[in-house]
Amino acid sequence: MAPQTKKAGKSQKQTKKFVINASQPASDKIFDVSAFTKFLQEKIKVEGRTGNLGDTIVVRQQGDGKVEIIAHNELSGRYLKYLTKKFLKKNQLRDWLRVVSTSKGVYELKFFNIVNDAEEEDDE
């Protein structure tokens, strides 16, 4: 009896919500959130096909540099992180920005910390 209850639980539709927060680079005018939203809508694969979102996945822009993805089927956060990195590489931003998971289902674009070599100059 126990295995049947697991299968019944799997067949139910589950809704996952992901947020990609790009407000920091968007406020510095180096990241185009609307282009990123369009990129996600074109590139997310549903049942092995791109551009097949339909009603199962909703990608929308939320205010100041946030993109919200609501999925009514299986969609992993790692896949969204992969697509975000792909977008950054395409727009030559990968050297300055990184994708960090701040909490479950929330990803944030942050600048790399660049440390100056001031300590080496002080030794001389």
Side-chain angles (χ1 to χ4, degrees), residues 19-25 64-67 106-110:
V19 175
I20 299 175
N21 185 358
S23 55
Q24 188 179 11
D64 54 332
K66 289 186 181 181
V67 177
V106 178
Y107 293 92
E108 193 169 335
L109 294 177
K110 292 187 174 184

Side-chain angles (χ1 to χ4, degrees), residues 14-54:
Q14 53 190 8
T15 302
K16 288 185 179 180
K17 180 180 172 185
F18 298 99
V19 175
I20 299 175
N21 185 358
S23 55
Q24 188 179 11
S27 65
D28 291 344
K29 305 276 192 278
I30 64 165
F31 189 81
D32 187 8
V33 181
S34 59
F36 178 59
T37 309
K38 187 172 185 271
F39 176 82
L40 286 178
Q41 288 170 344
E42 292 171 357
K43 296 290 181 179
I44 291 178
K45 285 188 177 182
V46 178
E47 297 172 5
R49 301 180 69 202
T50 57
N52 189 21
L53 295 183

Side-chain angles (χ1 to χ4, degrees), residues 19-26 30-33 36 65 67 80-81 83-85 87-88 93-94 96-102 106-112:
V19 175
I20 299 175
N21 185 358
S23 55
Q24 188 179 11
I30 64 165
F31 189 81
D32 187 8
V33 181
F36 178 59
V67 177
L80 291 175
K81 187 173 181 178
L83 287 175
T84 306
K85 287 179 178 181
F87 179 79
L88 291 175
L93 296 171
R94 189 81 176 95
W96 292 281
L97 295 172
R98 64 189 187 134
V99 185
V100 180
S101 175
T102 53
V106 178
Y107 293 92
E108 193 169 335
L109 294 177
K110 292 187 174 184
F111 289 101
F112 282 112

Side-chain angles (χ1 to χ4, degrees), residues 116-124:
N116 293 333
D117 295 330
E119 293 177 18
E120 293 177 17
E121 294 173 9
D122 292 340
D123 293 340
E124 292 178 5

